[in-house]
Amino acid sequence: MLKLTYTENGFNLERLAQSLEDWVTTRVILSLRAGWHICVEPSTASFLLPADLPGIERLEIEARREDSEIISVSACDVDYVEISLRGTWVSATSESDEGVFVVTMSDRTEFFLFKLWQQAQIVASCVSE
């Protein structure tokens, strides 16, 4: 399972071994016990990766192997590709810009996408230094 945590300063991507159903169930139970509002709904999330990142072409091949409803890779412009995912949005309200997006794909595609995102973070931190 991939977990994208969206905050006011950006987002973080994690790969978890837990199933989506177990993770959502635990999150709902925690919210109920703590008395917090929670919204769980199907949604989409997207983020950008550099178009020249080694492995982007392979990700496009992996995305075609997946259910086309779950992941798509689209050219955004000459510098970036957009990764779009269909999964589950969990937040305090349905209108919130901050929350957690979770999605399940094949282990292979999850691992590959996670590694590409990590590479993009390394490249971005080297460029900013």
Side-chain angles (χ1 to χ4, degrees):
M1 175 180 83
L2 293 177
K3 176 181 140 189
L4 291 80
T5 305
Y6 286 86
T7 66
E8 66 183 41
N9 298 325
F11 83 99
N12 185 50
L13 178 64
E14 298 174 73
R15 187 164 185 260
L16 305 176
Q18 191 174 16
S19 76
L20 184 137
E21 292 81 8
D22 288 346
W23 185 88
V24 170
T25 300
T26 301
R27 194 70 171 225
V28 169
I29 290 170
L30 174 65
S31 294
L32 289 172
R33 289 182 179 163
W36 301 331
H37 290 100
I38 188 167
C39 176
V40 179
E41 61 186 353
S43 187
T44 58
S46 60
F47 59 93
L48 301 177
L49 289 176
D52 62 351
L53 193 64
I56 289 294
E57 297 84 15
R58 183 156 174 220
L59 178 62
E60 291 172 339
I61 292 167
E62 291 298 322
R64 283 192 290 271
R65 288 184 185 164
E66 285 289 332
D67 179 354
S68 62
E69 301 271 326
I70 297 174
I71 181 173
S72 67
V73 179
S74 311
C76 186
D77 58 29
V78 292
D79 296 322
Y80 292 97
V81 295
E82 181 180 47
I83 310 302
S84 297
L85 305 168
R86 285 200 56 76
T88 304
W89 176 247
V90 180
S91 63
T93 67
S94 61
E95 292 83 31
S96 179
D97 293 337
E98 296 180 4
V100 177
F101 179 85
V102 287
V103 61
T104 300
M105 297 176 279
S106 71
D107 286 340
R108 181 176 170 160
T109 304
E110 285 178 7
F111 179 77
F112 195 63
L113 181 56
F114 179 66
K115 288 298 177 189
L116 285 175
W117 182 80
Q118 284 182 319
Q119 285 179 331
Q121 299 311 299
I122 292 168
V123 169
S125 68
C126 289
V127 169
S128 67
E129 291 178 356

